[in-house]
Amino acid sequence: MILSSKRILLVIAGGIAAYKSLDLIRRLRERGASVRVVMTKAAQEFVTPLAVGALSADRVFSDLFDRADEHDIGHIRLSREADLVVVAPATADLMAKLANGLADDLASAVLLATDKPVLMAPAMNPRMWSHPATCRNRTTLEADGVRFVGPARGEMAESGEAGEGRMAEPLEIVAAIEAQLDGAPKPLAGRRIIVTSGPTHEPIDPVRYIANRSSGKQGHAIAAALARLGADVRLVSGPVSIPDPVGVTAIHVESARQMQAAVEQLLPADAAIFVAAVADWRTADAAGEKIKKVAGKGPPSLAMVENPDILAGVGHHRMRPRLVIGFAAETQNLLENAALKLDRKGADIIVANDVSPEGGVMGGDRNRVRIVSGEGVEEWPDLSKDETAARLAALVAERLLPARL
Ligand code: CTP
């Protein structure tokens, strides 16, 4: 119950995503937080102060020069009587104002006056988001200590344009708020950890590829769990349909070779965890043009070559991280094969996972793993992928303790 009795000051700026802020208020209050809202003038064109006030069960603040407000609360108090200031949606305009220290309305004045952490959930047209001016402002704000959640890729409500700029979903923003307010110990603070996740796509031609059923859920959950313990997590993800976890730096790749290049670029690191279901083979030559179906010629045969083993490469690398963990996705002789993999791949731990179809692990939400290491085998019970991730993150923290150096 991280949010219980926490005070959130929510600044709603003008954008169509403001409708999602209504849901955000509801989610925060469900978790026991109190939410006080400041709306910009433009925000009121999208959602009414009446609706916002009803959901937050408080009056809504919007005017810098409202005598009554300035008399009894005022922008300074408003900005300090909170544990966290959240801006959702954060527009390009409001980002620009704070990056430059402007304070000509209540929202910007509160942001400039606060002594509390600020979290922004940007929402804007993809071109506005990628504009050099917005990029500069973001860099400035990050250097000033402002945290960001999102934006996500997606189609824009108003223009149908696709790209990065859609506001993070309310539950992702809640997770980012929880991460920010979480006062729990951070045993992995200052540790850089690489995590691979998801499947890889191996191209056959520009429109076809070979893939597998990995959803990325377990790898992403591990990345998130490590970040919650304070690690600087670099997540190298194959194509997945789930969002990047909060608080990690995600690098998106498609093929095994791209994944390998991304991972090796991230070395040195304190630990590396290989959860991705990397394709063992790729087509010998991906065709540059779409392969046509030719009448009477029959299907083409695909010559395959082996992909690099990314885990083994890092396990035997001259910059090998102190802790290297692999996963073994097996349908038979689970433990024997895991033990062999430890050696062959240069790993300290293999997390052995029974992926036989009866188990429903691939794409599912639960799994049952065994931890195989030089110290023996430890059986974990049937757990959700989030619980498995939390346990594994705790194990990583224990293994990286300075005492074990
Ligand atoms: N892995 C990797 N690069 C590859 C293949 C696998 O990094 N090209 C990693 C996976 O991320 C996982 C581990 O190796 O951590 C084991 O993958 P698995 O598919 O179980 O093992 P394989 O080496 O492919 O062995 P087998 O085909 O016998 O199952």
Side-chain angles (χ1 to χ4, degrees), residues 274-276 278 280 308-311 326-330 341 344-345:
F274 297 85
V275 200
V278 182
D280 287 322
D309 188 317
I310 308 168
L311 164 55
F327 270 64
E330 305 286 357
K341 247 166 235 178
R344 199 175 70 231
K345 302 209 181 201

Side-chain angles (χ1 to χ4, degrees), residues 360-380:
V361 168
M362 283 304 235
D365 289 319
R366 304 188 69 79
N367 61 8
R368 188 188 172 92
V369 303
R370 292 181 178 89
I371 305 296
V372 186
S373 71
E375 293 162 23
V377 180
E378 196 185 318
E379 294 214 15
W380 286 3

Side-chain angles (χ1 to χ4, degrees), residues 85-87 89-102 107-108 110-114 116-124 128-129 131-151 180:
V85 182
V86 178
V87 190
T91 53
D93 180 68
L94 196 50
M95 284 175 62
K97 276 186 175 164
L98 184 58
N100 291 286
L102 300 180
S108 50
V110 155
L111 287 171
L112 203 60
T114 192
K116 296 299 180 334
V118 176
L119 175 73
M120 287 191 162
M124 65 194 75
M128 292 173 80
W129 176 247
H131 193 284
T134 309
C135 295
R136 269 197 310 275
N137 291 334
R138 182 191 178 158
T139 308
T140 304
L141 291 170
E142 277 179 334
D144 291 345
V146 173
R147 296 279 194 108
F148 285 86
V149 50
Q180 182 103 31

